[in-house]
Amino acid sequence: MKLLLTGSSGWLGRFLAPKLEGIGHKVVGLDVAAGDHTDVIGSVADRGLIDQTFSDHGIEAVIHAGALHKPDIVRYPNSAFVDVNVTGTLNLLEAAVQAGHDRFIFTSTTSLMISETVRAGRAGGAEQAFWLDEEFGPLKPRNIYGVTKVAAEHLCRLYHKLHDINVAVLRTGRFFPEDDDTLTVPSGPNLKANELLNRRLTVEDAADAHIAALDRIVDLGFETFILSAPTPFLRADCKQLMEDAPSVITRYFPEAKALYEKQGWVLPDHIDRVYDAGKAERLLGFRGKTDFSSILKALAEGRPLPFQHDPSYISPKEAL
């Protein structure tokens, strides 16, 4: 298929584009910044550019991974988030419908599920970890990023209803390579390893999930999926995860404590949320290849950690 991939110069795009090309798709990359997989420079908010790109390249399906993200809040006004995340999504949906497409893949975020109550967790008085699946709600996003991504999801749902285009909304957990912009202890690889228990996936797995959605959504209509590494936890663990996470972790992974101590790492003392990616496995046939057990295996064997970590990473659009 001739695919339009937005955000092609971004972190996900640089992994997704070659995977798509490797299985025979023709990828036309669109981004505001130049990149190895970007053919069209410009914004999804520019409807004329979108129409021209569709016309010039004969686009047959869209993977819309371009967006302003949470770290961009300190760099861009709220209106820019509306222009890119909402109007940009509308432009692509309208163009896809006019072109007669049968599928549309939208990269969303689990961040829109994190209200102030969820974010506060134990500090806010929560007695157990929040179990976050696709039925969790009501959604009360805490910032302009989450608000605009919810709005874009609603547009996707509306265009499916009005025009019967099949849409997969992929709420991805964390896969960025840089350090967290708010947490400092633990930091770096230790934090990323911990997060694979409950809220992170690798960028490679995120790319594979998009490919699975592209293949499967035509038989599903409109569906929303949470994407995260397979969690070892059960709902029944949620209370103890908030009270004493290390005891739950070592119950599933008896070797974890010693391997972490050898590395000079720490396990989380509590876990306040767990992303359940089971629906993606059931309906898309997608299950992340890298999970917490992969981390422990790498530590035990002295191999490189199976995820990307680059504290110096800067989004290409910020290097313009």
Side-chain angles (χ1 to χ4, degrees):
M1 296 181 70
K2 294 180 181 178
L3 304 174
L4 176 62
L5 172 62
T6 70
S8 52
S9 296
W11 184 242
L12 175 61
R14 68 180 62 181
F15 288 87
L16 179 53
K19 281 178 175 279
L20 288 165
E21 291 170 346
I23 57 175
H25 295 295
K26 168 61 178 175
V27 177
V28 177
L30 184 151
D31 203 295
V32 294
D36 292 342
H37 305 287
T38 295
D39 307 281
V40 180
I41 305 294
S43 172
V44 292
D46 183 344
R47 179 59 193 269
L49 177 66
I50 297 301
D51 289 343
Q52 189 65 49
T53 301
F54 270 61
S55 175
D56 289 349
H57 297 278
I59 302 300
E60 297 175 290
V62 174
I63 299 178
H64 180 26
L68 288 182
H69 299 279
K70 188 256 188 182
D72 292 318
I73 291 173
V74 300
R75 298 189 284 257
Y76 295 89
N78 289 346
S79 59
F81 278 82
V82 175
D83 292 342
V84 174
N85 293 357
V86 182
T87 303
T89 304
L90 178 61
N91 287 341
L92 291 162
L93 284 165
E94 288 183 338
V97 167
Q98 289 176 8
H101 290 185
D102 64 353
R103 72 197 80 186
F104 188 95
I105 311 302
F106 176 60
T107 310
S108 190
T109 173
T110 53
S111 179
L112 60 80
M113 305 171 71
I114 310 305
S115 64
E116 291 295 347
T117 300
V118 175
R119 188 184 188 195
R122 185 168 66 175
E127 296 183 353
Q128 62 181 27
F130 291 92
W131 189 268
L132 302 180
D133 61 13
E134 292 79 6
E135 303 305 315
F136 179 83
L139 300 178
K140 297 180 180 180
R142 67 188 188 280
N143 54 40
I144 190 65
Y145 173 47
V147 167
T148 53
K149 295 299 274 191
V150 168
E153 286 192 6
H154 285 317
L155 286 172
C156 290
R157 183 178 291 104
L158 177 64
Y159 270 65
H160 164 69
K161 179 180 179 181
L162 295 178
H163 303 288
D164 205 31
I165 185 171
N166 302 290
V167 181
V169 172
L170 306 181
R171 291 181 182 169
T172 65
R174 294 178 160 205
F175 57 81
F176 55 79
E178 66 267 37
D179 287 328
D180 189 276
D181 61 347
T182 57
L183 298 175
T184 57
V185 180
S187 62
N190 187 173
L191 179 60
K192 287 182 171 65
N194 289 354
E195 289 178 339
L196 280 166
L197 284 162
N198 66 307
R199 60 180 299 191
R200 175 174 282 275
L201 74 166
T202 65
V203 66
E204 295 89 349
D205 279 342
D208 286 344
H210 282 69
I211 293 171
L214 181 69
D215 290 341
R216 294 288 190 94
I217 195 59
V218 288
D219 297 321
L220 299 176
F222 177 91
E223 293 289 351
T224 300
F225 301 96
I226 289 174
L227 301 182
S228 189
T231 182
F233 305 131
L234 304 174
R235 285 179 184 265
D237 296 320
C238 285
K239 189 173 190 304
Q240 194 174 5
L241 283 171
M242 188 70 82
E243 296 172 347
D244 181 10
S247 67
V248 183
I249 296 167
T250 54
R251 173 154 45 89
Y252 287 100
F253 306 101
E255 72 277 27
K257 183 178 179 181
L259 288 170
Y260 261 48
E261 287 178 350
K262 185 177 180 180
Q263 193 74 13
W265 286 3
V266 294
L267 292 168
D269 62 357
H270 74 281
I271 288 176
D272 59 10
R273 70 195 74 163
V274 178
Y275 295 151
D276 179 357
K279 181 179 176 183
E281 185 170 355
R282 293 190 301 273
L283 296 188
L284 299 181
F286 167 76
R287 180 181 177 88
K289 296 181 178 70
T290 302
D291 57 12
F292 189 67
S293 64
S294 306
I295 302 301
L296 299 182
K297 190 171 189 291
L299 292 178
E301 297 176 357
R303 293 186 291 101
L305 294 168
F307 56 75
Q308 306 282 337
H309 176 66
D310 181 3
S312 65
Y313 175 80
I314 298 174
S315 172
K317 75 181 188 307
E318 302 310 314
L320 295 175

